[in-house]
């Protein structure tokens, strides 16, 4: 993003932010396996996903929404954080991902991908 954003003025960035703020995510097309729908909330609590991303995993302030994100995207990001190949500002996600097993990643990504991405 840096090369693309380098020439944007503050006004340009504010205009883009206003546009993206008005966009609403589509309903998830992913269907969570029943066993992962049951195990997912416990893992989200255990690994503090809800502490940073919010109780409904819809994001908080600068922390992104997880609910309804694409399965392959979430899996790639969690694997990247665990491997230390996914960049981040403060290291919180890399630390949080370290104890995740591959099975935990599968369950969490399946669960998160099937959640409704909209606030009530």
């Amino acid at each position: 993003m840096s090369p693309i954003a380098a020439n944007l003025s503050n006004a340009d960035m504010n205009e883009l932010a206003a546009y993206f703020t008005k966009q609403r995510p589509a309903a998830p097309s992913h269907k969570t396996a029943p066993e992962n729908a049951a195990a997912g909330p416990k893992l989200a609590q255990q690994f503090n996903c809800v502490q940073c991303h919010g109780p409904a995993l819809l994001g908080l302030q600068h922390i992104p929404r997880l609910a309804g994100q694409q399965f392959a995207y979430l899996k790639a990001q969690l694997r990247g954080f665990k491997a230390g190949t996914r960049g981040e500002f403060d290291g919180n996600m890399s630390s949080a991902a370290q104890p995740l097993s591959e099975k935990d990643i599968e369950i969490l990504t399946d669960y998160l991908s099937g959640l409704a991405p909209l606030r009530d």
Side-chain angles (χ1 to χ4, degrees):
M1 277 306 290
S2 294
I4 294 169
N7 294 321
L8 294 175
S9 68
N10 281 341
D12 292 334
M13 288 189 269
N14 287 336
E15 223 174 284
L16 285 167
Y19 170 79
F20 285 113
T21 298
K22 293 177 186 171
Q23 306 308 304
R24 295 293 170 239
S29 59
H30 182 85
K31 301 295 181 210
T32 303
E35 62 274 12
N36 293 340
K42 182 179 180 217
L43 287 178
Q45 287 284 339
Q46 178 183 346
F47 293 109
N48 299 314
C49 303
V50 295
Q51 183 177 359
C52 294
H53 295 273
L57 301 160
L58 295 171
L60 296 171
Q61 299 170 1
H62 68 285
I63 309 289
R65 168 181 58 85
L66 299 178
Q69 293 286 1
Q70 293 182 3
F71 177 80
Y73 171 79
L74 288 172
K75 187 189 290 188
Q77 300 315 304
L78 280 176
R79 285 178 173 167
F81 285 127
K82 183 172 176 67
T85 58
R86 167 69 162 82
E88 62 178 314
F89 290 113
D90 56 15
N92 287 337
M93 277 303 305
S94 293
S95 294
Q98 292 312 301
L100 294 173
S101 68
E102 187 59 30
K103 183 176 180 178
D104 293 335
I105 291 172
E106 287 288 329
I107 292 169
L108 278 170
T109 54
D110 187 37
Y111 167 66
L112 295 168
S113 296
L115 293 175
L118 297 174
R119 300 182 195 282
D120 290 335

